[in-house]
Amino acid sequence: MNEPAAASPRSWTASSWRQCELVQQPHYADESALKDVLAQVASLPPLVTPWEARRLERQLAEAAAGRRFLLQGGDCAELFSECQPDIIANRIKVLLQMSLVLIYGLRMPVVRVGRFAGQYAKPRSSDLETRGTMTLPSYRGDIVNGAEFTKTAREPDPKRLLRAYHHAAATLNHVRALGEGGFADLHHPEYWDLGFVHQDTLRSEYQSVVDAILESIRFTEAISSERMSEMERVSFFTSHESLLLPFEEALTRQDSHSDDVFNLGTHFPWIGMRTASLHGAHVEFLRGLANPIAVKIGPDTTPSDLQALVRHLNPGAKPGRLTLIARLGQRHVGAHLPAMIQAVRATGVPVLWSCDPMHGNTETLSNGTKTRRFDTMLDELEQSLDIHSAEKSIMGGVHLELTGENVTECTGGARGLEDADLERAYHSQVDPRLNSEQALEMTFALIRKFRSLRS
Ligand code: PEP
Ligand code: CO
């Protein structure tokens, strides 16, 4: 068997990525303004702590071993303008409700990870966008430039890095406050409320899960004489695509209690599919971080590429260190996933397998609208579960783009959203997200599939 080429064993520092090929970056006209802003970001407090990142790593190790399930979800791209209390709370609420359904349906704990508090940078297929006779830099996320199609908005602005830091901090503060307060108390009615669901079957399916959980809470409390909320507090971890490396580096800090270096801008950074090349700057940056990390893999990733990547990103074969987020697409998953699972197994490196059924299934309608079909995404999830089961492997998580708002961006689901409905409430600047009803419905469908494989 051909051994994949080993990546260069150069010593790692938080800036060694600067020696590697760097793709998917904006061009800043004023380098010295960029430097000044980065120095300011580097002097600000971290957003998360090393012990939180370590706790997450332990929980991801449990998920890889089939004793916990990873639920990772949120916007494709967070917007500064959507850093609002209701929008944040609704997103948290749908993730909480999905996690309850998973806990109940899978009979195991769930680790909740948001695509939030820092998901502001986007990779683009082209550096430039042309509309009519005008060509401007592509929108690369609020951390870089504005989505509006004007010369001023599209100019990459270093000051946005500071705004991104402050919006991430405000978002995370609100998420933490909600988690500490009544919102995430299992006894609190907010927790259970299904204001957004108008579809009867889904409502009654959810209500029966809630009734069963409340019943077991009452039972546990009766025999332990302790309040359940004090026994298990609901918590969230944060994650985002580690794309804009100068900013990521500015939030990377040495742990004061060990030799470890953490990116303390997020608990769980991931490498996007377009920046996952073995010798590229993004892989170089993440390989040295002590955070748990993830990498998105697509149909163009060969089994031998994957082996090299897995060895390079988790040389110590540490459980929980590396998550592989497969986003192969409904039409490719059957042909690619089995060989990928076998290749990774042959390395002996433990990974957590997660499935992103969204990014391989984006379609563009004739009017230019990007959408994703509920049944296509569900089919990729179901096929992935079947394949992992046949390979005696574990699919320990899902990665979804979703929002707590009642948007119409993906079609299908119990309400039967059609192409023509999309214009009604299409808010995403980038990829189409599941609305809260569709997200909950996807969760129930996933549970049904899990159960059919177990029985
Ligand atoms: C994303 O997660 O929004 C994204 C761009 O994904 P991928 O890297 O899988 O294309
Ligand atoms: Co996306």
Side-chain angles (χ1 to χ4, degrees), residues 76 115 122 359 372 401 431:
C76 181
R115 282 177 66 115
K122 296 309 298 172
H359 286 89
R372 292 160 173 161
E401 287 185 342
D431 291 338

Side-chain angles (χ1 to χ4, degrees), residues 56-245:
L56 172 62
E57 188 172 79
R58 288 194 294 275
Q59 297 195 6
L60 294 172
E62 289 172 11
R67 297 194 303 272
R68 191 180 275 275
F69 196 76
L70 164 67
L71 171 63
Q72 185 175 18
D75 287 325
C76 181
E78 284 177 288
L79 303 178
F80 294 164
S81 62
E82 293 193 348
C83 180
Q84 295 176 25
D86 289 355
I87 294 179
I88 295 169
N90 287 342
R91 199 198 287 127
I92 289 293
K93 195 155 111 181
V94 68
L95 285 166
L96 275 175
Q97 292 176 339
M98 290 165 78
S99 72
L100 278 188
V101 173
L102 288 167
I103 291 168
Y104 180 74
L106 302 179
R107 302 281 192 270
M108 61 170 91
V110 167
V111 50
R112 303 172 193 85
V113 178
R115 282 177 66 115
F116 53 53
Q119 177 53 19
Y120 297 119
K122 296 309 298 172
R124 301 316 304 252
S125 46
S126 166
D127 282 344
L128 298 170
E129 181 182 347
T130 300
R131 290 193 199 170
T133 54
M134 189 142 73
T135 297
L136 295 173
S138 293
Y139 171 61
R140 289 191 169 274
D142 275 8
I143 194 169
V144 173
N145 55 4
E148 209 190 329
F149 196 72
T150 62
K151 198 166 177 317
T152 326
R154 289 294 175 92
E155 183 62 32
D157 178 359
K159 289 198 290 299
R160 284 178 169 268
L161 303 181
L162 267 178
R163 294 178 66 201
Y165 171 88
H166 289 298
H167 282 84
T171 303
L172 183 53
N173 181 61
H174 196 49
V175 170
R176 290 194 196 274
L178 290 172
E180 291 291 326
F183 191 83
D185 179 338
L186 296 171
H187 303 79
H188 200 285
E190 268 283 15
Y191 198 70
W192 310 104
D193 173 52
L194 261 197
F196 58 79
V197 172
H198 301 288
Q199 209 271 331
D200 284 347
T201 328
L202 194 55
R203 203 168 243 287
S204 66
E205 204 170 4
Y206 178 74
Q207 196 55 49
S208 60
V209 171
V210 169
D211 291 344
I213 294 176
L214 282 176
E215 189 49 43
S216 48
I217 291 176
R218 274 183 224 111
F219 176 74
T220 314
E221 289 180 344
I223 58 171
S224 74
S225 70
E226 246 184 83
R227 293 264 292 178
M228 188 85 163
S229 53
E230 282 138 40
M231 291 191 274
E232 205 203 328
R233 262 227 332 272
V234 172
S235 59
F236 278 89
F237 295 97
T238 63
S239 68
H240 66 247
E241 179 172 348
S242 187
L243 184 65
L244 194 61
L245 294 187

Side-chain angles (χ1 to χ4, degrees), residues 376-427:
T376 310
M377 293 184 272
L378 180 57
D379 190 37
E380 180 167 353
L381 273 181
E382 293 182 340
Q383 286 189 59
S384 299
L385 276 169
D386 280 333
I387 293 166
H388 278 284
S389 168
E391 295 292 331
K392 307 245 171 318
S393 169
I394 291 164
M395 186 185 115
V398 287
H399 182 111
L400 301 171
E401 287 185 342
L402 55 87
T403 170
E405 305 307 300
N406 193 11
V407 299
T408 56
E409 296 173 4
C410 294
T411 57
R415 296 260 229 140
L417 285 186
E418 293 181 12
D419 293 356
D421 294 310
L422 296 179
E423 62 190 30
R424 197 151 29 87
Y426 198 106
H427 299 310

